[in-house]
Amino acid sequence: MKRYYITTPIYYVNSVPHIGTALTTIVADACARYQKRRGRAVYFLTGTDENAPKVHRVAQEKGIPTQQFVDEMAEVFENTWRALHIEYDVFMRTTEERHKRTATEVFRRLRQQGDIYEGRYEGWYCVSCETFFALNKVGDERTCPDCGKPLEYRDEPCYYFRLSTYTERLRDHILSHPHFIEPEVRRNETLGFMAEGLQDVAVSRSGTDWGIPVPDDSSGAVIYVWFDALLNYLTATDWLDRGDTYLDTWPPDLQLMGKDILPRFHATIWPAMLMALGLPLPERLYGHGWWIVNKQKMSKSLGNVYAPLEVVQTLSENAGCEMPYAVDAFRYYMLREMPTDSDAEFSLQGFETRYNGDLANDLGNLVHRTLSMLHRYFGGRVPEGARIDDTLAHLFVQQATRTAEAYEAVDFPRGLSEAWAIISAVNRYYDEQAPWTLHKQGETQRAGQVLYTGLEAVRILSVLVEPAMPQVAREIARLLNLESVPDWNATHQVGVLAMEHPLQEPKPIFPRLQAKPNAPVVQEPAQPQPEPKQAPSDALITLEQFQRLKIRVATVRSAEPIPNTQKLLKLTVDLGDERRTIVAGIAETYSPEALVGRQVLVLVNLQPATLRGVVSEGMLLAADVEGKAILLNPDQSVPNGACVR
Ligand code: MSP
């Protein structure tokens, strides 16, 4: 059976991994895990690009022998990917002997058949991008059209690859294979890039002794690093040595990369090289957008380059407690906010918001309260005679199918939000059915049915989240007392957990991050205030005074008692565009479970106050009935954040 072959680019080893390279690698890992769950044999390649002159230069600047430098840096990459739970099958390094053999042999063959010819290069060169540029692309400033750095003038003999002759064949291939380049925007970019025809590319470099020597050449030229690097995908299949059996892996099913290296390199030079070799082309090239930080490109000079493991570390530090699934949380954020068509903003604050909202309040809370109630009401076993609610069963299967479609299309933001629709539906369902009340009123069977429906959702979710959060998926499976995370087929079956099946004691998966008071660190010096005129309590207020109260609709996402108090609950409410922590004196009237999913009215422009060590960022509106707080809520479901007038 043909293996499903997935690749990331191989990364230059002159700098350490950052959130950009981590993005492609995590996306590839999630795709690989998804395909494995679907029962396919997967071959997943990542690695390092080590032959670039700039790698050599950095090693020299550091005063380290280049081979030692690339060995050390390749280890940094491998360690980072392992720490992020990337399960690759092969880590390709282009300084490996087997790769040098592939590149040398391909160069020789193409030269023999006339696809590579000797010429001369006279013009502008970007040392950083390792690329020559035609005069009409350079402009008067003589800066690189890709990276903006100053260009160098070069005049030297070199070898060319006859890319121009493949323009028409390539265009035909792109037009007749709609999934060859994805997403659509990249396909169009590539066709635009090709519109004026492709020019032959210089595939050798002089003036450096680091790289793979051009075969049968006495001038000391080395093979252009991109020409060698692209061939790593072929090396990893042992194409040179395996006769036709390399076809158990070739061609790649999915080649992932950032948008910058798609049109020029992966979508033109690369397939043209394969055409010249007479080899099948990759099935799909996918180019994602870029992370930007504060609306700017990440760059060392701006000091806004984030290292993935530091981001993970920051989350754990801000939690102020043990955070066993911080890596999975980071993977989730990368995938949930993944830039697909366009670029996307990366921020630590955005990460924490997703963490508190999607992971702690939504997924973590659903798992925890479902298991807690089953333990409290049914002795920690699947209730006897419980059946899944048909309407929800239908929705679970439908959402699982939609999640799969999106994962297949490498659209993780959509896929994860389709999966999260199950969580919202179950939270709404708990809210409507109130299993805590059913249990209290002795309607045990019905309570069991509601909780069994929630439990089945949790089982299905363990499969749906696995590509993004493999360790969390395993933990959910453990809590459900399953030997391992079920296969994808399990998402199309309902009512799987058998009666009396014992469940593990619930244990929170995602501890909530501590609420940080949003008061400024440095307080303005207090100004003497005029004595306020005391208004009688029943004095009328003006409309303008009323309008200064900002009251908005919100949904309670989590609720928990505050230790050592009878009255107070700590709530997280969702105001549509933000979430807030609110301390409310309603514990005597409402149990925490009864509140989650319910809509409430919140006074949002009240000064924050600290109650029992928790900062409350607003107040719930409630009717006072003989000292008890009865919550007010909208007459029908309305969007969170709606203003009350
Ligand atoms: N060595 C080449 C690839 C050769 S593949 C045959 C290379 N290496 S790289 O180290 O520069 O890696 C770049 C990868 O990281 C690209 O896929 C690029 O798009 C991605 N990113 C670099 N910065 C990025 C962001 N800010 N955001 C997302 N991805 C970004 O190119």
Side-chain angles (χ1 to χ4, degrees):
M1 188 175 72
K2 159 93 174 64
R3 295 192 283 189
Y4 192 94
Y5 186 17
I6 301 181
T7 69
T8 72
I10 47 169
Y11 304 114
Y12 289 129
V13 284
N14 49 306
S15 49
V16 295
H18 51 66
I19 51 167
T21 43
L23 171 71
T24 324
T25 318
I26 290 172
V27 170
D29 186 64
C31 291
R33 287 174 186 274
Y34 166 71
Q35 293 299 341
K36 283 187 220 167
R37 294 257 142 236
R38 304 247 43 173
R40 297 189 180 117
V42 168
Y43 191 56
F44 168 18
L45 169 147
T46 188
T48 42
D49 190 347
E50 304 182 357
N51 295 322
K54 65 178 169 191
V55 169
H56 186 39
R57 214 173 317 119
V58 173
Q60 285 178 322
E61 280 161 17
K62 289 183 187 289
I64 309 173
T66 308
Q67 190 59 50
Q68 181 191 331
F69 175 62
V70 296
D71 289 347
E72 286 170 9
M73 291 300 281
E75 208 177 314
V76 173
F77 274 84
E78 284 208 76
N79 289 341
T80 306
W81 300 152
R82 275 199 215 107
L84 294 175
H85 308 147
I86 307 294
E87 254 181 23
Y88 50 78
D89 296 290
V90 54
F91 190 90
M92 270 301 307
R93 296 185 54 190
T94 51
T95 49
E96 283 176 49
E97 227 22 71
R98 63 174 180 152
H99 176 68
K100 290 183 180 167
R101 278 178 52 231
T102 309
T104 309
E105 178 57 23
V106 169
F107 200 99
R108 190 176 280 133
R109 279 193 203 178
L110 297 194
R111 191 167 163 202
Q112 265 164 14
Q113 70 192 44
D115 272 303
I116 288 180
Y117 61 92
E118 274 176 84
R120 192 167 184 83
Y121 190 81
E122 224 187 307
W124 295 97
Y125 183 66
C126 175
V127 184
S128 176
C129 303
E130 323 278 9
T131 305
F132 287 112
F133 289 98
L135 196 57
N136 63 351
K137 296 262 160 51
V138 167
D140 292 341
E141 326 75 59
R142 309 288 187 246
T143 50
C144 172
D146 285 352
C147 74
K149 293 193 182 136
L151 297 172
E152 280 179 11
Y153 194 77
R154 295 268 174 106
D155 179 4
E156 59 196 32
C158 80
Y159 293 88
Y160 280 92
F161 171 54
R162 241 179 251 288
L163 179 62
S164 56
T165 55
Y166 291 94
T167 310
E168 281 320 306
R169 271 181 70 189
L170 250 172
R171 201 196 318 272
D172 288 349
H173 187 85
I174 296 171
L175 292 174
S176 58
H177 294 78
H179 298 295
F180 179 54
I181 301 173
E182 286 186 335
E184 181 81 15
V185 57
R186 309 282 166 244
R187 185 169 186 259
N188 294 339
E189 267 166 26
T190 308
L191 288 168
F193 171 73
M194 294 174 67
E196 291 167 29
L198 297 169
Q199 292 183 353
D200 292 351
V201 272
V203 289
S204 66
R205 295 291 184 265
S206 312
T208 176
D209 56 356
W210 182 253
I212 304 175
V214 169
D216 315 316
D217 172 86
S218 55
S219 76
V222 296
I223 299 177
Y224 171 43
V225 67
W226 267 102
F227 186 88
D228 118 43
L230 288 162
L231 288 167
N232 93 88
Y233 304 128
L234 201 51
T235 306
T237 67
D238 286 330
W239 161 74
L240 258 190
D241 303 323
R242 286 182 59 209
D244 273 355
T245 53
Y246 83 103
L247 290 167
D248 64 2
T249 309
W250 193 265
D253 294 274
L254 179 60
Q255 299 211 266
L256 293 155
M257 70 214 72
K259 62 179 186 180
D260 53 319
I261 57 173
L262 190 140
R264 187 201 304 273
F265 299 109
H266 283 83
T268 46
I269 301 180
W270 173 226
M273 285 163 71
L274 293 172
M275 282 175 174
L277 287 168
L279 299 179
L281 303 194
E283 292 294 331
R284 189 149 62 123
L285 306 169
Y286 184 98
H288 59 71
W290 272 38
W291 287 126
I292 46 172
V293 176
N294 287 331
K295 302 193 171 57
Q296 280 175 307
K297 207 171 157 175
M298 281 196 304
S299 82
K300 277 194 199 145
S301 53
L302 289 174
N304 62 359
V305 181
Y306 283 98
L309 297 181
E310 280 169 20
V311 175
V312 170
Q313 176 77 19
T314 308
L315 182 80
S316 303
E317 279 163 12
N318 285 356
C321 63
E322 210 199 329
M323 178 70 75
Y325 301 107
V327 165
D328 273 14
F330 175 72
R331 292 172 56 110
Y332 174 81
Y333 176 68
M334 290 270 117
L335 294 165
R336 182 66 183 77
E337 300 275 340
M338 166 191 175
T340 52
D341 295 11
S342 32
D343 295 344
E345 182 74 25
F346 172 92
S347 74
L348 289 176
Q349 204 192 355
F351 179 25
E352 293 193 357
T353 305
R354 282 278 174 209
Y355 177 87
N356 265 339
D358 300 9
L359 299 180
N361 290 347
D362 293 345
L363 179 64
N365 192 38
L366 175 68
V367 175
H368 198 258
R369 68 180 179 144
T370 302
L371 286 172
S372 300
M373 285 190 271
L374 282 163
H375 271 271
R376 247 181 286 142
Y377 309 155
F378 295 96
R381 289 181 177 269
V382 170
E384 217 175 309
R387 274 195 58 245
I388 187 163
D389 191 298
D390 284 343
T391 322
L392 276 108
H394 174 76
L395 180 113
F396 298 164
V397 172
Q398 169 193 295
Q399 290 312 115
T401 307
R402 289 186 178 167
T403 305
E405 280 163 9
Y407 285 178
E408 203 73 63
V410 197
D411 190 345
F412 287 94
R414 178 158 63 86
L416 290 166
S417 83
E418 298 290 5
W420 254 244
I422 295 180
I423 303 178
S424 320
V426 176
N427 277 333
R428 260 196 319 272
Y429 175 68
Y430 279 176
D431 195 31
E432 285 156 18
Q433 303 294 324
W436 44 90
T437 311
L438 293 171
H439 174 257
K440 212 189 267 171
Q441 292 170 347
E443 292 190 51
T444 312
Q445 199 177 350
R446 180 76 198 126
Q449 177 152 347
V450 172
L451 291 176
Y452 183 61
T453 303
L455 191 68
E456 280 287 281
V458 170
R459 178 184 61 80
I460 290 172
L461 282 163
S462 75
V463 187
L464 302 186
V465 304
E466 200 269 350
M469 298 189 286
Q471 301 223 323
V472 166
R474 259 202 297 278
E475 171 62 3
I476 298 178
R478 188 193 68 78
L479 290 170
L480 298 184
N481 220 355
L482 301 173
E483 261 170 32
S484 55
V485 179
D487 268 342
W488 200 270
N489 289 345
T491 63
H492 297 300
Q493 296 150 5
V494 285
V496 169
L497 290 173
M499 258 188 285
E500 292 289 303
H501 173 85
L503 303 162
Q504 294 291 335
E505 282 286 336
K507 195 168 142 215
I509 301 176
F510 297 111
R512 233 164 247 119
L513 300 178
Q514 303 302 317
K516 278 180 248 147
N518 44 10
V521 180
V522 182
Q523 298 280 350
E524 290 286 327
Q527 299 290 324
Q529 298 289 320
E531 275 295 298
K533 283 198 196 105
Q534 206 63 46
S537 62
D538 55 355
L540 296 179
I541 61 163
T542 63
L543 181 62
E544 198 194 335
Q545 282 171 320
F546 171 72
Q547 281 169 342
R548 287 179 57 202
L549 301 177
K550 300 237 174 313
I551 302 169
R552 291 166 65 196
V553 177
T555 298
V556 179
R557 293 296 178 206
S558 71
E560 59 191 73
I562 295 188
N564 306 324
T565 70
Q566 300 292 315
K567 287 194 172 171
L568 299 182
L569 291 181
K570 177 181 163 192
L571 312 179
T572 306
V573 299
D574 180 353
L575 284 152
D577 52 357
E578 63 168 321
R579 292 186 184 227
R580 290 200 188 187
T581 303
I582 290 185
V583 178
I586 52 174
E588 289 177 330
T589 342
Y590 299 93
S591 70
E593 291 94 346
L595 289 166
V596 176
R598 178 187 179 119
Q599 287 206 307
V600 288
L601 302 182
V602 185
L603 178 62
V604 292
N605 61 339
L606 188 67
Q607 276 191 354
T610 306
L611 298 161
R612 299 287 176 133
V614 181
V615 180
S616 181
E617 305 163 301
M619 189 174 86
L620 298 194
L621 298 197
D624 183 347
V625 183
E626 294 169 356
K628 285 196 169 165
I630 308 294
L631 287 173
L632 304 186
N633 58 330
D635 184 30
Q636 49 183 276
S637 176
V638 300
N640 288 328
C643 293
V644 175
R645 288 185 289 164

